[in-house]
DNA sequence: ATACTTGCAAACCCTTTGCACGTAG
DNA sequence: CTACGTGCAAAGGGTTTGCAAGTAT
């Protein structure tokens, strides 16, 4: 059983963004591909090291930065904590955060999106990006 | 001309929150009272020192923290920069940020607020707090 | 009188960076 | 081969904290 069983997908993702393919980047990209949550840099580093122990903190941060720059992933800063990342291959969505458990749910509301554009337009602006987070507690 | 011409309001605000009144806190509170923008801790410190040069950085942070805790002010972290503060005496609102100039405008949308509650309810949650920021560019 | 606040400086956390070595292309 | 990527360790920015001295109540 080969240990570098990274899906070929990781290499493609990196190549398409014009990035050189390295073991470390593949490890990091595969972590993001498999993540169903919103890990921060430290957590991504931990998981990447399970795939390739040589990944350094500096490389984790640099890779996340370059991937975000190329539009491969999005970063969010909930509540002023550390940055959390997710692949940008999925459609846009906002977040609902359970303030007791830390669970993060994703949602989309075409109505809200549309109202946002309307508001921005009233001020003479167009939206480049937005962030909507609902900090909630179970009823 | 007395130099401690703080509006009596500052003392009241602090007293009502059950906080001891000190020169430093009055200086900080008065900065917030007069601010029409969204200054961060460093800027608040600078302005507070114009009123009372003895205010230290530690006290600025501690006072902002305790005031936020008592509900006297709200803090926002736009874009992952430093925390910005504003008195909580004004009604809730969201923010539209001009990404070119850094200008911050405030807005409210009852419709969006209502949609947010509806979405949270669908997940079985009630909203404790939320954050909506539109990062925009002039059309 | 006494608990709360302060200033100072050190510590913290997350993130970035300079450097010399390593490697993908 | 050469430009780009890497690990290490040090530095950076924003914020917090331990401590002894000061002060509001």
């Amino acid at each position: 059983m080969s240990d570098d069983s990274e899906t070929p997908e990781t290499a493609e993702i990196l190549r398409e963004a014009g990035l050189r393919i390295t073991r470390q980047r593949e490890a990091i990209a595969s972590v993001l591909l498999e993540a169903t949550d919103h890990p921060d840099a430290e957590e991504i580093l931990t998981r990447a090291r399970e795939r390739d122990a040589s990944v350094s903190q500096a490389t984790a941060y640099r890779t996340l930065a370059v991937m975000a720059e190329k539009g491969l992933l999005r970063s969010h800063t909930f509540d002023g904590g550390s940055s959390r990342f997710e692949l940008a291959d999925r459609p846009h969505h906002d977040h609902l955060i359970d303030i007791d458990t830390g669970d993060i749910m994703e949602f989309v509301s075409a109505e809200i999106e549309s109202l946002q554009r309307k508001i921005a337009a009233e001020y003479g602006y167009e939206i480049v990006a937005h962030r909507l987070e609902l900090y909630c507690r179970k009823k």
Side-chain angles (χ1 to χ4, degrees), chain A:
Chain A
M1 270 181 226
S2 149
D3 218 327
D4 63 78
S5 54
E6 315 299 358
T7 61
E9 237 181 307
T10 62
E12 272 175 51
I13 288 178
L14 294 169
R15 183 153 25 234
E16 280 170 23
L19 299 175
R20 284 193 182 176
I21 295 158
T22 65
R23 290 175 299 126
Q24 295 88 341
R25 284 179 178 174
E26 285 210 292
I28 292 165
S30 75
V31 166
L32 268 334
L33 260 181
E34 290 167 25
T36 58
D37 51 353
H38 297 72
D40 62 10
E42 190 190 337
E43 179 60 27
I44 290 167
L45 177 58
T46 301
R47 297 185 196 173
R49 280 178 165 160
E50 293 167 7
R51 292 162 170 77
D52 183 330
S54 79
V55 182
S56 72
Q57 194 191 45
T59 292
Y61 275 102
R62 280 191 281 233
T63 298
L64 292 170
V66 75
M67 286 180 73
E69 191 181 306
K70 296 291 185 180
L72 294 179
L73 53 81
R74 286 187 285 257
S75 83
H76 304 281
T77 317
F78 303 119
D79 246 354
S82 46
S83 294
R84 294 168 170 277
F85 302 84
E86 62 184 350
L87 273 193
D89 58 348
R90 280 171 294 172
H92 162 78
H93 55 257
D94 295 309
H95 297 96
L96 187 161
I97 297 103
D98 183 319
I99 57 176
D100 294 314
T101 68
D103 289 351
I104 298 172
M105 279 140 277
E106 304 177 348
F107 69 87
V108 224
S109 164
E111 284 171 286
I112 290 183
E113 306 277 321
S114 152
L115 284 168
Q116 288 175 354
R117 280 192 297 275
K118 190 176 138 203
I119 289 165
E122 282 168 15
Y123 284 83
Y125 283 92
E126 58 188 359
I127 298 178
V128 172
H130 79 261
R131 155 205 261 174
L132 170 56
E133 292 152 18
L134 307 180
Y135 296 90
C136 304
R137 175 167 287 142
K138 269 236 156 62
K139 272 201 285 204

